[in-house]
């Protein structure tokens, strides 16, 4: 199960249980919310950020899904808090690129923090959508805000 | 070998794809409910057709065209006989989804005033009711939803018990004077239970409603005699019964097909065409517009001959053994819940939930051990919602599935919760 | 070999079926307009898929399913690129007939109030007009007749000149304020003439009508760039372009596909399903209900790669040479009349009448010499009526057709009247 | 072209030109008429018989089609004139059986007269419908009468 261990790194299993940011905050002040769904497995997420000018604050989310999608949302929460919008958008773009690269682009730990543990996902093309779910929600929320 | 002399290991050798290793393990393919693998006999039949006889059917006077037409019509005869029907009552479709849409649209077209005078009997009035069940595949829900939306008809749904059996007393109450169509699956693609067709047909016919059967998940697994079941219309898909993609069948009682206006229109289903109007052929050709999936029909006939050579009663007995083994094995695993665990007549298909582990993750762990199962809602979201889930894991067998395959699978499921560190 | 370096004899060697003898003669297959033969590369691609990768796409998490999904989506990319389109604008269908029905029914469903708010723009009002032409295949007539009958829209038809070219001034008069759809073929399957797409698209767009192109007979023969042609929607069939049966494409401009309500409904085209309602995916998946013809999509991609390796400009040049040779040869035979003999841009397809001998009898005499042609109305009854005929003989070529094939054919036609004792 | 000669016997080519019974008689007295069409090639025939009690009289027809269909109609005309209905129906049945037999059942000249020359058709499955057209029209006309 070595390729499997590459996918389900310890950090992922931990995040999938800890779920940082889980529990949607009330809509107060300048907020942006997005609901995303993976039609294949029925997984869904609702993600909300508060905006302090151009700065993202208080990422919270709610939803059900596989360990990859839950861990990814949890990791995103920590990564993006306090970051400004344009940086966040760029980070999401690079995350997507790496995940779609079939293992040819590595997620840099300096840039992606815990989320770098999602590296292994890019070799499992069917799971890329799971890992992307929260990130697509954030992208969509920012685009609407 | 089973008591009936059914040798799945020997059948397995006929399926070239199954000899491969996946992630370093011998492939255990338990996703036949989604699509089955194809035996060499089917691949050969189609290839042989394409390299020796291929030509447009029902059209040319040339030698190849005549030979192709004969093979195509022989295929119709073979496949019709497999479901107990006459060839004139078997319409080729591209699959069950198209078949169910064909029926719904034909009724819609009759409602819009199309077709022969006899078609008027199929027309729906606002407030007429269409009854399906909570257990249906989306293919047997959405075409009716859309038909209802276009015609003002109302949808009703037969509920399902916790054990996966249909609530027949509720059905008896639901199916009433306004009911015009009762559409249900022979075997749900999530529950694996053989539904009581005759009872539902009797309820439908008692109120003059059409009984429409989705036989997708029964055709490859249980002996079928559609006329004997009394249904008015029934659909199945080739790719789920060892045949090619892109071919399927719609069986219809003669009078019912006769009354149905066309659905798809185009070449080869007409007698006379003028710029502003056309006259259509009788069934089955009325419903077969354009170039048909000819090589696929020939391939499906080969699939059906393959199943007949094994013997459908033997296939069903083999599957009953497998399903018992699967269910017993899974029941013994802590945290595993089966969807619809009734000890009814069944096919070897089970869906289950592993407490604390998402279906997707279960599937991934099995895949790493070479075991292919399906995860998700299996195109039955309402049924999953009914069981409080968004997704489940489904294992489904076929003629080539061995008891060993089942054991490997059960053992792998038993290890899943430990892998994810879920405490019992 | 042609000046462009096109070697049909070498291509011919790739087609296993063509090596056979028919009635003691080497097969001269001139019925590609009905259905083409398939090169080994296509047969191999499909077989390879079925024996190594086959699994349900877009669904499982298991390894085979992931690989199958990739091949399936790569095929979409390849086929879309072949017609100049982005993959999100290519919908899989089972063939051109289904594609045209899809468009007509989607418009019908929009008229019935289905779809998103944007769908209302597609709705027809009573008295709205749908324009096709006198030259159309039944597949591009009947779906519009049925749509008109259901919605109260009116059909109009662009007439054709004796030489087979469309009457453009008449088209300019016909296409007016009430016109909502202009549907026409790129190349008629009887006349072989490449129609002036841009002119017709301009007329359609000038009045805000949708331009729908039937590209069945052009896709295998001329370089195609559908977005550059400016059409809103276009259809083609795999089996006419060296690919498998049961697969085809519908290209649509993004905004148009986006506005279209679904046609077939069922699995894999939804986001959420409840018992009484559902939400649908964006295009192209919104239009791909149920199990798709997966191995056939992979086969069609191989066909398209085969054509691209030959080079579509070279293919077209090769065909122009053949069509000149055919028409010159036939014109020199007494009693032979060509249907639509304009020296326009053409593909290598000609239909003709032999004075005093019925098409069926002509076909039979050719068949006895191993020459496969098509006889009948070729699903274009109104066009035949226009030319005062009920049936004609059609010869149609492909990449594997050699000048020798054409010569054998022309000589055989020259002998027909003598065989039947028809005096000149 | 030997198999072709088996199909297009001299007698067939002659009948296809002579066309006995061609030209539909006016509808007078007890008549039965049928219109039949071969949707594949667009061939059609309208056939009419006058009935003198149970006896068939004056078979006439009109239509366009290939030499096989025309010859077959012409041959039928001579064969059926003066025959009684039930015999005609039986003859049509045996004709159909022979034509569908792929050459295993011969048309007997004593029973079928000139129409026995249509024997060769049964090996050309695509042409059976052409040869049957007039006979199906007669069958239909009698069934309606
Ligand atoms: C019960 C049932 N009905 C209908 C369908 C639809 O069949 P297809 O996708 O082959 O059209 C399926 C399979 O997905 C099924 O399992
Ligand atoms: C011009 C044209 N349109 C439409 C069709 C229908 O294509 P298909 O039968 O593959 O659906 C054909 C072929 O028969 C054709 O030649």
């Amino acid at each position: 199960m070595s390729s499997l261990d590459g996918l389900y790194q310890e950090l992922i299993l931990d995040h999938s249980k800890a779920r940082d940011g889980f529990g949607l905050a009330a809509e107060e002040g300048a907020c942006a919310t997005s609901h995303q769904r993976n039609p294949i497995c029925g997984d869904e997420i609702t993600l909300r950020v508060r905006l302090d000018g151009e700065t993202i604050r208080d990422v919270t989310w709610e939803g059900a899904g596989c360990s990859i999608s839950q861990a990814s949302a949890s990791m995103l929460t920590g990564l993006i808090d306090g970051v400004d919008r344009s940086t966040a958008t760029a980070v999401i773009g690079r995350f997507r690129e790496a995940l779609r690269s079939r293992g040819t682009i590595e997620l840099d730990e300096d840039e992606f923090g815990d989320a770098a543990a999602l590296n292994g996902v890019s070799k499992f093309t069917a799971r890329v959508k799971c890992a992307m779910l929260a990130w697509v929600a954030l992208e969509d929320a920012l685009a609407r805000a | 070998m089973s008591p009936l002399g059914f040798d799945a290991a020997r059948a397995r050798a006929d399926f070239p794809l199954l000899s491969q290793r996946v992630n370093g393990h011998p492939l255990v393919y338990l996703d036949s409910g989604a699509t089955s693998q194809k035996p060499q006999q089917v691949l050969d039949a189609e290839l042989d057709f394409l390299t020796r006889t291929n030509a447009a059917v029902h059209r040319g006077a040339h030698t190849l065209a005549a030979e192709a037409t004969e093979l195509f019509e022989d295929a119709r005869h073979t496949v019709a006989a497999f479901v107990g029907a006459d060839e004139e009552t078997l319409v080729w479709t591209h699959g069950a989804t198209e078949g169910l849409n064909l029926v719904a649209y034909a009724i819609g077209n009759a409602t819009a005033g199309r077709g022969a005078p006899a078609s008027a009997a199929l027309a729906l009035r606002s407030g007429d009711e269409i009854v399906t069940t909570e257990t249906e595949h989306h293919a047997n829900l959405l075409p009716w939803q859309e038909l209802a939306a276009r015609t003002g008809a109302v949808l009703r749904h037969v509920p399902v018990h916790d054990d996966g059996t249909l609530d027949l007393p509720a059905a008896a109450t639901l199916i009433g004077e306004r009911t015009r169509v009762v559409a249900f699956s022979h075997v749900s693609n999530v529950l694996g239970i053989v539904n009581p067709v005759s009872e539902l047909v009797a309820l439908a016919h008692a109120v003059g409603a059409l009984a429409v059967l989705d036989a997708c998940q029964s055709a490859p697994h249980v002996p079928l005699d559609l006329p004997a079941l009394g249904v008015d219309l029934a659909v199945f898909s080739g790719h789920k019964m060892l045949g090619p993609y892109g071919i399927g069948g719609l069986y219809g009682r003669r009078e019912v097909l006769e009354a149905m206006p066309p659905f798809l229109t185009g070449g080869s289903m007409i007698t006379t065409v003028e710029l502003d109007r056309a006259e259509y052929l009788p069934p089955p050709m009325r419903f077969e517009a354009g170039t048909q999936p000819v090589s696929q029909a020939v391939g499906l006939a080969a699939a059906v001959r393959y199943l007949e050579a094994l013997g459908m009663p033997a296939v069903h007995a083999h599957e009953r053994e497998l399903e018992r083994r699967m269910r017993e094995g899974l029941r013994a695993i802590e945290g595993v819940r089966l969807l619809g665990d009734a000890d009814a007549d069944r096919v070897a298909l089970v869906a289950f939930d592993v407490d604390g582990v998402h279906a997707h993750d279960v599937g991934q762990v099995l895949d790493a051990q070479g075991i292919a199962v399906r995860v998700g809602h299996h195109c039955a979201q309402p049924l999953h919602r009914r069981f409080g889930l968004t997704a489940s894991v489904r294992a489904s067998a076929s003629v080539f599935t061995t008891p060993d395959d089942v054991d490997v699978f059960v053992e792998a499921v038993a290890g899943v919760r430990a892998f994810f560190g879920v405490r019992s």
Side-chain angles (χ1 to χ4, degrees), chain B residues 58-59 70 270-272 281:
Chain B
H58 288 310
R59 295 180 168 182
E70 275 182 53
I270 54 90
T271 56
T272 315
L281 282 169

Side-chain angles (χ1 to χ4, degrees), chain B residues 123-413:
Chain B
L124 298 178
R125 273 142 308 172
S126 179
D128 279 353
E129 293 177 1
I130 299 167
V131 175
T132 68
T133 87
E134 258 187 348
T135 69
E136 298 309 311
H137 188 280
H138 296 163
N140 203 19
L141 284 177
L142 305 193
W144 306 116
Q145 289 184 2
E146 289 290 329
L147 175 63
R150 289 197 307 275
T151 58
V154 176
L155 284 181
R156 318 284 309 259
H157 303 95
V158 177
V160 62
H161 294 300
D162 285 342
D163 72 356
T165 58
L166 290 174
D167 185 342
L168 279 185
T173 328
L174 275 172
I175 297 170
E177 234 174 64
R178 298 299 313 254
T179 309
R180 305 297 309 285
V181 176
V182 180
F184 58 98
S185 51
H186 197 178
V187 173
S188 136
N189 69 317
V190 177
L191 304 169
I193 296 170
V194 179
N195 285 323
V197 178
S198 316
E199 280 87 335
L200 288 163
V201 169
L203 290 174
H205 286 177
V207 298
L210 286 178
V212 180
L213 188 72
D214 175 353
C216 254
Q217 296 290 348
S218 56
H221 305 300
V222 302
L224 264 192
D225 186 333
L226 294 172
L229 286 174
V231 295
D232 295 292
L233 296 152
V235 302
F236 51 89
S237 279
H239 73 99
K240 290 188 197 281
M241 47 197 286
L242 316 185
Y245 287 103
I247 182 87
L250 166 69
Y251 156 81
R253 282 204 307 116
R254 234 172 264 271
E255 301 73 18
V256 176
L257 287 180
E258 200 56 68
M260 279 162 55
F263 164 46
L264 299 179
T265 55
S268 301
M269 45 80 76
I270 54 90
T271 56
T272 315
V273 174
E274 292 165 34
L275 283 171
D276 283 306
R277 52 177 295 286
E279 280 166 35
Y280 299 113
L281 282 169
M285 291 184 72
R286 183 190 299 159
F287 305 105
E288 297 176 352
T291 303
Q292 294 299 294
V294 184
S295 64
Q296 289 90 350
V298 171
L300 180 54
V304 148
R305 278 193 298 270
Y306 184 88
L307 286 169
E308 276 169 347
L310 295 175
M312 288 309 291
V315 167
H316 187 36
H318 164 67
E319 293 228 2
R320 296 237 40 186
E321 242 179 82
L322 294 179
E323 65 87 1
R324 271 186 226 112
R325 201 175 188 103
M326 268 192 210
R327 285 197 298 140
E328 273 161 28
L330 290 173
R331 275 202 213 112
I333 303 170
E334 200 168 337
V336 167
R337 171 165 67 117
L338 298 180
L339 275 68
D341 197 14
D343 282 322
D345 188 12
R346 308 184 60 112
V347 304
L349 176 155
V350 286
F352 59 97
D353 175 55
V354 179
D355 188 36
V357 185
H358 189 275
H360 234 118
D361 293 318
V362 177
Q364 197 78 56
V365 172
L366 299 189
D367 183 53
Q369 298 169 67
I371 305 160
V373 295
R374 175 122 181 245
V375 299
H377 51 63
H378 321 309
C379 301
Q381 285 189 354
L383 180 60
H384 277 81
R385 216 171 279 125
R386 158 69 178 79
F387 281 97
L389 299 169
T390 54
S392 68
V393 182
R394 184 184 72 187
S396 52
S398 184
V399 295
F400 49 72
T401 309
T402 63
D404 277 358
D405 288 339
V406 172
D407 294 346
V408 169
F409 154 73
V410 169
E411 203 190 308
V413 174

